[in-house]
Amino acid sequence: MITWRAGVVVSGGASWPGAVEMQVELEGEPVGGLPADGRVRALAYPQLVGEPRVGDRVLLNVSALARGLGTGGYAMVVALGDRVPADPPAGPGHLVKARYTALQATVLGVDDQESEHHELLRDADDLAGLPVVVADLHSALPAVVAGARHSAAVHGRPAPRVVYVMTDGGALPAWFSRTVAGLRDAGWIEACVTTGQAFGGDLEAVTVHTGLLAARLVAGADLVVVAQGPGNLGTGTRWGFSGVAAGEAVNAAGVLGGRAVASLRVSGADARERHLGISHHSTTAYGRVALSPADVVVPGLAAAGAGLDELDDRVRTQARALGAPAGRHRLVDVPTRPDLLEALRGTPVRLSTMGRGLGGDPASFLAVAAAGVHAERLAAGSASA
């Protein structure tokens, strides 16, 4: 199940909060999909394994790298071969994340009995209409926030206080995401809340439900974005996709009295028919899994002036299955004008989804940005209830 390698750190690389890159020269002969020169790009999470230094011998998990299965092209540092990291400072917290794995970590949950917020969250169960934008891909996060900020700027309102609730369908460590680090540094998100088995956020929560409540009551969110971490898992089947959990996030927002805003996964460039226009993953998550009504934002792509008229017709036709009377949701039309496209060009982090950037598939980002526009209007009280 795991392909192990040992090696020596030969040089450092980029770093961001919670993560550090390095070059590692492998011991022994490289095999499989590993580089022929014996050097790999590796990633370590210092809070889990310690801080690797040049000359350190490290133990690596190269399973995904050897098979070309994502992980950003990294070998993952599992341990330092000759140094044991210092014990963490003594402190409260009994939430165990990545439970019963070799790198399980104990953290202080925002809803933990030892947390200063425990009493606030113990009986909390009301989001009081808080807009909750749901997306099935991590790559949607910066575009949703860009749309929300653009809407606020257009109407002369202050930028909303956005909190990201990260589910555990993709990467478990929030530290893996340069997007989260970049958005936080730019002041575009107030906090990241990691839920389920995910960890490393500004706040830790047991479930999406307590994550949403913490976003409102502890982090003071004006609106929330819920999506899995980077690195989704799919098998080319209807149900075998980690983003199906987007439907469950809609249910969580609904049962807690939030205003669920379902962003559509749209593409005009994907060669696969099942993802052209509205992806079948969106129709499954929102049409089959989400039992609580949501605002499904239908992006008016023709208004963007980017030659998307034909795609606009396709998306509108596909969306009808999700709205009344065929479906249970409310369809909300949000035109995506050229100024929204320009706003997306100004994001502080790189936009990329399924290997395509803004120029390669503008509809993907416009669709989720439109959901951000609608959520900001809801937060400001300027959209119809």
Side-chain angles (χ1 to χ4, degrees):
M1 293 176 66
I2 297 178
T3 303
W4 298 97
R5 287 293 183 275
V8 176
V9 179
V10 294
S11 64
S15 65
W16 56 96
V20 60
E21 291 180 348
M22 69 212 69
Q23 289 287 324
V24 175
E25 187 168 327
L26 300 178
E27 298 177 352
E29 293 294 322
V31 295
L34 299 177
D37 64 2
R39 289 197 174 191
V40 296
R41 190 168 60 124
L43 189 72
Y45 302 120
Q47 293 186 60
L48 295 183
V49 303
E51 189 85 44
R53 298 193 293 254
V54 172
D56 279 342
R57 188 169 182 270
V58 292
L59 182 63
L60 303 171
N61 181 333
V62 298
S63 304
L65 181 63
R67 297 191 61 191
L69 298 176
T71 66
Y74 293 116
M76 307 304 294
V77 176
V78 179
L80 305 183
D82 302 312
R83 284 191 296 117
V84 176
D87 291 343
H94 81 282
L95 268 63
V96 180
K97 299 289 188 96
R99 291 187 283 277
Y100 303 102
T101 67
L103 290 178
Q104 65 180 12
T106 304
V107 300
L108 175 64
V110 68
D111 43 351
D112 204 318
Q113 289 93 329
E114 300 167 85
S115 167
E116 63 180 306
H117 306 296
H118 177 71
E119 289 302 312
L120 176 65
L121 294 172
R122 184 176 61 182
D123 297 315
D125 64 356
D126 188 6
L127 293 175
L130 179 71
V132 177
V133 181
V134 176
D136 72 348
L137 294 178
H138 186 70
S139 55
L141 174 60
V144 172
V145 182
R149 291 176 66 90
H150 176 67
S151 175
V154 166
H155 294 92
R157 296 188 285 259
R161 189 178 176 96
V162 179
V163 174
Y164 169 45
V165 172
M166 178 175 144
T167 62
D168 56 12
L172 296 187
W175 306 317
F176 186 73
S177 174
R178 292 199 192 197
T179 294
V180 169
L183 292 177
R184 190 192 291 108
D185 287 348
W188 278 39
I189 60 173
E190 180 65 26
C192 169
V193 184
T194 37
T195 67
Q197 296 285 358
F199 57 91
D202 302 288
L203 298 171
E204 306 275 5
V206 175
T207 65
V208 173
H209 300 75
T210 49
L212 288 170
L213 290 164
R216 174 180 175 248
L217 297 173
V218 178
D222 296 319
L223 68 87
V224 173
V225 182
V226 180
Q228 61 183 326
N232 67 92
L233 177 61
T235 60
T237 62
R238 181 185 300 276
W239 295 103
F241 172 59
S242 54
V244 165
E248 299 292 4
V250 168
N251 293 335
V255 76
L256 292 173
R259 183 74 175 261
V261 177
S263 69
L264 293 172
R265 179 174 167 184
V266 169
S267 178
D270 202 303
R272 298 166 293 179
E273 179 69 20
R274 66 184 185 274
H275 293 304
L276 192 60
I278 299 176
S279 169
H280 76 113
H281 290 317
S282 284
T283 55
T284 298
Y286 303 139
R288 303 284 298 278
V289 179
L291 303 179
S292 180
D295 292 356
V296 174
V297 175
V298 182
L301 297 172
L308 300 175
D309 297 50
E310 185 176 340
L311 182 63
D312 181 86
D313 290 340
R314 182 184 182 97
V315 167
R316 290 179 183 279
T317 299
Q318 292 170 316
R320 291 188 193 119
L322 296 172
R328 61 178 58 87
H329 303 299
R330 301 173 291 270
L331 301 185
V332 179
D333 183 75
V334 176
T336 60
R337 298 184 176 90
D339 57 339
L340 182 57
L341 190 60
E342 189 60 33
L344 286 167
R345 294 191 179 101
T347 56
V349 297
R350 184 171 66 95
L351 295 178
S352 178
T353 186
M354 307 304 291
R356 297 181 292 269
L358 182 61
D361 197 359
S364 293
F365 303 101
L366 286 167
V368 290
V373 168
H374 178 61
E376 190 280 332
R377 293 173 181 171
L378 289 172
S382 61
S384 61

